[in-house]
Amino acid sequence: AHVFQQRCAHRGTQLNVGWVEGDCIRCLYHGWKYDETGQCIEQPGEDEEFATRVKIRSYPTEEYLGLIFVYLGEGETPPLRRFPDFERDFVIDAGIPEYWPCNYFNRIDNACDAAHVAYAHRTSLTRVGREPFIRPISTEETDYGLRTTLNLPGGAKSYIHFHMPNVNQTRSSGRVEGTLEDAKNLWVDRLFFRVPVDDGHNISFVVDCLQLTGAAADAYRERRLAAQEMETNDLNQIGEDILGGKMRMMDIPQMSTYKSFWIEDYTVQVGQGLIAPRENDRPIRGDVGVVMLRKIWERELLKFASGRPTKQWHTPAGLADMSEVPAG
């Protein structure tokens, strides 16, 4: 994969409306052609020497976990952040990107908010036979960001990890793409990469890791592909219909829990408004993770604004302890 500046150096036409030729891209307007470095290598009807003096900006890219990462900054390209728990020989698959009309922080806030699950996702969990309940939580800052601990019945613990500045890592036995039986029987470790688009829009890229290999993995991939046929615009529209009072949450049609969770989260996060007036919030005990995350963001942004070094975050292996996950 290669990434270039948006416009042709000739007369500013968007290059994405052109076409790819090998590792090159050709402009739709007059056929100027650029190689993978952004160097112009062909200008039909012009002297060959002129093309050598034209170059557009290209950006370093790297493919990882089924996604394409691009460095848009200046200077030397920093190393790509790695997530060792997702580099194993299981089912690793990127989900459908979630493009939502709300501010980036509406989604970031949700990262450490375990308290919402019992209510926001009640419809989805009930459909797969799980009883929603409130779990006592605590949150602490770590070398990678934040770890939220959920205290489960019987003394067991579960964790939500937030990797500063924008990656949420969760484990779920309910929100699994595929059939309802998959949601009842499988566990998934998931990364959400939250990316701002502008003040009123953001996009999330999702990577799933399921402890499946061999024939079981192949069969699951087929079910997953079948479940992904529903257009994501339909999911957003259902969320808008719920927000507009045209339908209720309980009226969501039967679908994978991955998608019904999507609608539930869309409704409560987009429903806060494009840019939520946070001065009106009333945080409570269950918001301990949300408050801590906001304070860390404020702390690091103040450092950045004053030219001081920000904290360097490091992601270790072992955050997803697959030994707790039932095989197959």
Side-chain angles (χ1 to χ4, degrees):
H2 307 294
V3 177
F4 304 96
Q5 69 180 51
Q6 184 183 33
R7 300 187 183 280
C8 178
H10 180 205
R11 284 165 57 189
T13 293
Q14 290 186 191
L15 288 170
N16 63 290
V17 299
W19 60 90
V20 173
E21 297 179 2
D23 272 342
C24 303
I25 190 167
R26 190 180 291 276
C27 181
L28 175 68
Y29 202 7
H30 297 94
W32 284 26
K33 185 177 179 180
Y34 302 89
D35 68 14
E36 68 276 10
T37 70
Q39 176 64 52
C40 185
I41 60 173
E42 186 178 324
Q43 298 165 330
E46 303 298 326
D47 294 336
E48 292 184 9
E49 190 274 336
F50 182 61
T52 64
R53 291 182 280 153
V54 176
K55 188 174 184 179
I56 61 174
R57 183 168 182 181
S58 63
Y59 299 90
T61 64
E62 186 170 344
E63 297 184 47
Y64 180 61
L65 302 181
L67 301 175
I68 298 170
F69 292 82
V70 185
Y71 179 62
L72 301 177
E74 303 292 340
E76 184 177 354
T77 306
L80 179 65
R81 191 171 191 173
R82 301 282 171 175
F83 297 86
D85 292 350
F86 289 75
E87 296 177 353
R88 292 177 284 187
D89 190 22
F90 297 137
V91 173
I92 307 291
D93 196 10
I96 302 169
E98 304 172 357
Y99 182 77
W100 289 8
C102 65
N103 184 264
Y104 168 66
F105 281 98
N106 287 30
R107 304 227 64 187
I108 290 292
D109 261 355
N110 199 61
C112 302
D113 182 4
H116 82 284
V117 175
Y119 291 93
H121 300 304
R122 178 172 295 270
T123 297
S124 292
L125 294 173
T126 301
R127 287 182 178 181
V128 293
R130 301 189 183 279
E131 181 63 30
F133 61 93
I134 296 294
R135 295 165 284 190
I137 64 173
S138 60
T139 303
E140 59 185 331
E141 183 172 345
T142 67
D143 288 340
Y144 55 85
L146 289 169
R147 183 178 76 166
T148 298
T149 302
L150 292 74
N151 297 298
L152 307 179
K157 297 181 183 298
S158 181
Y159 303 98
I160 299 172
H161 307 283
F162 182 77
H163 305 265
M164 279 291 291
N166 68 322
V167 183
N168 203 26
Q169 179 177 340
T170 66
R171 166 172 294 173
S172 173
S173 59
R175 187 183 179 181
V176 178
E177 181 64 295
T179 65
L180 292 182
E181 288 301 311
D182 289 326
K184 293 178 182 178
N185 300 321
L186 298 179
W187 289 79
V188 59
D189 282 279
R190 177 172 287 125
L191 294 174
F192 297 90
F193 294 84
R194 313 296 195 191
V195 181
V197 176
D198 54 32
D199 283 350
H201 299 82
N202 71 87
I203 189 167
S204 287
F205 297 93
V206 184
V207 176
D208 287 345
C209 174
L210 294 97
Q211 190 186 8
L212 296 171
T213 58
D218 293 339
Y220 169 72
R221 287 191 180 97
E222 290 183 7
R223 299 193 300 272
R224 185 181 177 95
L225 285 173
Q228 288 177 341
E229 291 179 357
M230 184 176 189
E231 290 292 333
T232 58
N233 286 340
D234 296 340
L235 302 178
N236 288 3
Q237 186 58 54
I238 292 173
E240 290 293 336
D241 288 345
I242 293 171
L243 288 171
K246 298 178 181 178
M247 63 184 296
R248 299 170 300 171
M249 193 68 72
M250 64 187 70
D251 299 326
I252 294 174
Q254 288 291 335
M255 61 182 68
S256 71
T257 56
Y258 180 92
K259 290 188 175 62
S260 58
F261 265 61
W262 174 318
I263 294 168
E264 291 159 347
D265 277 330
Y266 182 100
T267 303
V268 297
Q269 293 174 40
V270 173
Q272 297 170 40
L274 289 181
I275 302 177
R278 295 299 173 202
E279 64 274 14
N280 296 334
D281 286 359
R282 291 180 172 85
I284 55 175
R285 184 180 305 166
D287 296 316
V288 57
V290 178
V291 172
M292 186 174 291
L293 180 56
R294 289 180 181 181
K295 287 182 177 179
I296 290 175
W297 260 94
E298 182 178 26
R299 180 191 76 199
E300 297 301 307
L301 285 171
L302 287 172
K303 289 180 184 178
F304 181 79
S306 63
R308 291 177 291 154
T310 57
K311 181 173 177 176
Q312 298 301 300
W313 308 95
H314 305 282
T315 295
L319 298 182
D321 182 2
M322 299 302 286
S323 64
E324 299 179 4
V325 178

